[in-house]
Amino acid sequence: MRALVIEDDPRIASTMAAALAAAGFTVTGEADGEEAWFLGSTEPFDVIVLDLGLPQLDGMTLLKRWRQEGMTRPVIIVTARGHWAERVDGIEAGADDYIVKPFRPEELMARVRAVLRRSAGHASPRIEVGDLVIDTRMQQVLRGGVPMGLTPREYSLLSYLAHNRGRVVSQLELTEHLYAQDFERDSNSIEVLVGRVRRRVGGEIIKTRRGFGYYVEGPGA
């Protein structure tokens, strides 16, 4: 999955990016509000972490502009502005969550996982797919309670399809969500990755709709 970190303090930006990268996210960083607006409007990020005190365009204005444009991706505000009224303003402007600095990376990641679950319609951190359990908190896939030892990229693929279960996901969308913006988009990369995951978890979990993409069946299918 892809995350956009918008923060003009290099130390804090590095801390957030490291936490997200360790959780398997492909992270893009931006410190300028106007540039961040363009990235968030044009690139398919799965989650956006947003500071409010930004140069050129402040975070609150940026968030309101996105929501007015119809952008629905999860946005988490991370800011030093901690008064209750400021929190209310942030949520009312369209934020999905609000974290006050200083914060622990573990808290950030817990909230990221929570907003992604909610946006995909999942209440539990554990997603069941066939006889597999995807534990989004521990970032592992289990069968019969035993971790299957998927690589971070393999886990990211299966997790993304599970979060979008019941919907066909194209190779292009998978490439955009699993790899960095400057990744050289070889048409075979996703096919090879899907093949690897199928060999690990069983070929019946990830299904193909030829010419359209891949999917995991929805509950009760």
Side-chain angles (χ1 to χ4, degrees):
M1 291 189 173
R2 294 181 63 191
L4 175 60
V5 173
I6 306 168
E7 169 63 64
D8 64 340
D9 183 316
R11 182 183 59 82
I12 297 174
S14 177
T15 297
M16 293 193 290
L20 286 157
F25 284 83
T26 298
V27 183
T28 299
E30 182 53 63
D32 179 273
E34 287 286 357
E35 292 295 327
W37 166 76
F38 178 77
L39 281 172
S41 299
T42 59
E43 292 291 325
F45 294 101
D46 296 284
V47 65
I48 297 173
V49 181
L50 174 66
D51 182 30
L52 294 182
L54 298 170
Q56 304 304 320
L57 182 68
D58 72 273
M60 194 70 77
T61 301
L62 172 56
L63 176 58
K64 290 177 180 178
R65 183 185 293 183
W66 274 334
R67 295 313 192 208
Q68 288 168 359
E69 294 170 347
M71 193 271 272
T72 59
R73 298 183 191 95
V75 176
I76 300 175
I77 290 175
V78 180
T79 180
R81 304 175 190 177
H83 190 272
W84 70 265
E86 292 169 315
R87 296 183 191 225
V88 169
D89 287 344
I91 298 298
E92 292 286 359
D96 296 271
D97 207 341
Y98 195 108
I99 303 175
V100 177
K101 302 172 184 176
F103 62 93
R104 295 284 304 174
E106 295 85 354
E107 178 188 6
L108 172 65
M109 293 315 305
R111 291 174 182 265
V112 166
R113 289 191 293 268
V115 299
L116 287 173
R117 287 199 308 270
R118 291 197 298 269
S119 69
H122 301 293
S124 169
R126 295 165 70 90
I127 304 172
E128 295 185 10
V129 179
D131 62 346
L132 299 178
V133 173
I134 301 173
D135 188 330
T136 61
R137 184 177 63 86
M138 297 301 295
Q139 295 166 358
Q140 36 180 229
V141 178
L142 305 98
R143 172 171 279 144
V146 179
M148 301 193 68
L150 270 62
T151 67
R153 190 76 73 196
E154 291 167 351
Y155 169 83
S156 294
L157 170 72
L158 188 56
S159 175
Y160 188 77
L161 289 173
H163 276 89
N164 291 276
R165 63 192 307 175
R167 179 175 74 85
V168 177
V169 181
S170 69
Q171 287 194 18
L172 176 60
E173 181 178 342
L174 285 170
T175 301
E176 290 177 335
H177 285 267
L178 296 178
Y179 297 99
Q181 186 177 1
D182 57 357
F183 174 73
E184 187 174 343
R185 297 183 177 181
D186 182 344
S187 61
N188 292 324
S189 298
I190 294 298
E191 291 182 19
V192 171
L193 181 59
V194 169
R196 276 206 328 256
V197 174
R198 281 173 166 161
R199 288 192 292 273
R200 302 291 297 276
V201 305
E204 75 284 357
I205 298 296
I206 299 176
K207 302 185 182 298
T208 301
R209 187 175 178 195
R210 195 159 301 280
F212 291 90
Y214 304 97
Y215 67 98
V216 166
E217 288 186 336

